[in-house]
Amino acid sequence: MNMHTIALYTCAAAVVMPGAEVITAQTGRRRVAPPELVRTLWGRPVPWAAAALVGVMAVMAVVQTVVPGVMPHLERTPDGPWWRALTALLVQTSGPGQLAFNLVAAAVVAPAAQRLFGPVRMPLLFVASGAAAHAVSMAGWSVHGGGDSVGLCGLVGALACAYALTGERVALRRLSLPVPAAGVVLCVLQNNHGIGVLTGSLLGAAITLASKRSRFRS
């Protein structure tokens, strides 16, 4: 295992571990079993925007499995049309493992993000983060491929920065800080997940600060 691979795994841990803690914090508890976490995140009021997002990804998972020839028409390509940065979010080009992992991740991250940012901002954060990551990849980082993990990384970055700015638990606020830091390192390594993390982090911080100013003025 070389240093590049070690750095990638370290950054993945720096995003996933604090992200899991921040998502758990959305339930109001410090520790919760995974089944209970899912039930809480999908409880009333039902996060319909998250359900729609997960539903679209599930449908596309079936489509690309039954008709794999659809992927070359949607994935990012060098010098491809701009809209490929958007459609690349709809297909998972790294095989069944990526497909399954991203569906499970979306079912946890999307409802948590909607409960914090709302049904309009959550999908906008997802699309903006994912499209930015795929656009940079099309420009030269990794010209072929697709996947929605970059958008999900954006949602995790947004959640982490929001909690770092307004969270009640000081320890978890500090634990959230490695998430955007990992985004910077991933960008140095020219891994497109770094663009997703940083885009979501910046937008999440901007939304959170704007909400704080609005509450203060009122």
Side-chain angles (χ1 to χ4, degrees), residues 79-124:
D79 301 319
W82 66 267
W83 49 263
R84 289 292 187 105
L86 296 172
T87 58
L89 288 166
L90 297 173
V91 291
Q92 320 300 318
T93 57
S94 296
Q98 181 197 29
L99 195 66
F101 180 85
N102 286 354
L103 271 176
V104 172
V108 176
V109 176
Q114 179 177 336
R115 291 189 180 281
L116 183 61
F117 295 108
V120 175
R121 288 172 175 167
M122 182 279 290
L124 290 177

Side-chain angles (χ1 to χ4, degrees), residues 177-201:
L177 296 177
V179 174
V184 173
V185 176
L186 287 170
C187 287
V188 172
L189 297 174
Q190 293 192 350
N191 184 288
N192 63 358
H193 292 83
I195 297 296
V197 171
L198 282 185
T199 302
S201 296

Side-chain angles (χ1 to χ4, degrees), residues 24-25 38 40 77 88 107 129 132 140 146 148 150 164 170 173 179 189 193 214:
T24 300
V38 173
T40 302
T77 57
S129 301
D148 65 351
V150 285
V170 175
R173 289 174 65 176
V179 174
L189 297 174
H193 292 83
S214 177

Side-chain angles (χ1 to χ4, degrees), residues 8 45 48 58 89 93 118-120 127 158 169 176 192 211:
L8 286 178
W48 293 110
L89 288 166
T93 57
V120 175
V127 172
R169 292 163 51 194
S176 301
N192 63 358
S211 297

